[in-house]
């Protein structure tokens, strides 16, 4: 008999995250406190996307809330000269979800999470608008995945 194989989840230690944030350009408009929130968002996303179906809804909610935390912090921490519409990026929060046949919400969430991770680990300057756009895209992907997960639960309950 063989033991079932489980995906091993790797979580970045705080020391690695701290090192990455220290390497950021000191003139960057995004504070280290926001980058820590981004790291927590990425942890929440990674945990949710690697979870079993019995935990998906709870972990998805945690990741979804983490996107709001990053966006709120970005809005509060940005210079007054930056208008809120610039921080919303090209994807408004109430835009239609990209659902339909052939759409894989989990894969879209993983891709969006990867784009946010690339910004965290990039040594190039990241503008608040660029980060907000990527986090908004991740938020939309999470919303679609949450809708898909809830729909699957309703369909299996009947």
């Amino acid at each position: 008999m063989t033991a079932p194989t489980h995906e091993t989840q790797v979580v970045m230690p705080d020391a690695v995250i701290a090192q990455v944030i220290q390497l950021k350009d000191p003139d960057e408009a995004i504070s280290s406190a926001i980058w820590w929130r981004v790291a927590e968002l990425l942890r929440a996303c990674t945990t949710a996307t690697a979870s079993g179906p019995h935990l998906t809804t709870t972990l998805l909610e945690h990741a979804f809330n983490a996107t709001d935390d990053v966006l709120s912090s970005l809005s509060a921490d940005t210079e007054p000269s930056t208008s809120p519409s610039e921080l919303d990026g090209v994807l408004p929060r109430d835009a239609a979800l990209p659902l339909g046949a052939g759409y894989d919400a989990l894969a879209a969430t993983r891709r969006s999470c990867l784009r946010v991770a690339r910004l965290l680990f990039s040594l190039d300057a990241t503008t608040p608008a660029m980060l907000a756009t990527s986090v908004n895209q991740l938020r939309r992907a999470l919303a679609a995945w949450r809708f898909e997960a809830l729909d699957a639960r309703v369909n299996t309950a009947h």
Side-chain angles (χ1 to χ4, degrees):
M1 218 186 245
T2 60
T5 58
H6 296 284
E7 251 184 65
T8 308
Q9 181 181 348
V10 178
V11 177
M12 287 248 175
D14 284 348
V16 173
I17 301 292
Q19 192 71 30
V20 167
I21 292 171
Q22 282 181 338
L23 292 173
K24 293 278 187 192
D25 185 348
D27 294 330
E28 185 164 301
I30 300 170
S31 70
S32 59
I34 290 176
W35 284 120
W36 274 105
R37 284 181 173 86
V38 170
E40 288 304 315
L41 167 59
L42 292 171
R43 286 178 177 159
C45 254
T46 302
T47 303
T49 59
S51 72
H54 63 291
L55 292 175
T56 299
T57 307
T58 303
L59 294 172
L60 243 167
E61 206 55 44
H62 178 64
F64 199 76
N65 290 336
T67 63
D68 288 341
D69 184 40
V70 170
L71 292 170
S72 295
S73 298
L74 257 176
S75 182
D77 197 43
T78 317
E79 295 176 19
S81 63
T82 305
S83 71
S85 61
E86 288 179 53
L87 288 179
D88 286 338
V90 294
L91 300 170
R93 287 183 175 198
D94 58 351
L97 296 176
L99 302 173
Y103 182 76
D104 185 347
L106 176 58
T109 300
R110 287 179 173 151
R111 284 190 305 273
S112 292
C113 192
L114 181 59
R115 283 191 290 275
V116 172
R118 285 183 178 142
L119 293 176
L120 174 64
F121 286 92
S122 174
L123 296 180
D124 295 332
T126 303
T127 65
M130 189 184 313
L131 180 58
T133 298
S134 293
V135 172
N136 267 325
Q137 288 172 337
L138 176 54
R139 188 178 192 281
R140 286 188 56 200
L142 285 165
W145 184 33
R146 180 171 63 176
F147 179 80
E148 194 175 89
L150 291 174
D151 189 47
R153 289 178 84 185
V154 168
N155 287 337
T156 58
H158 286 93

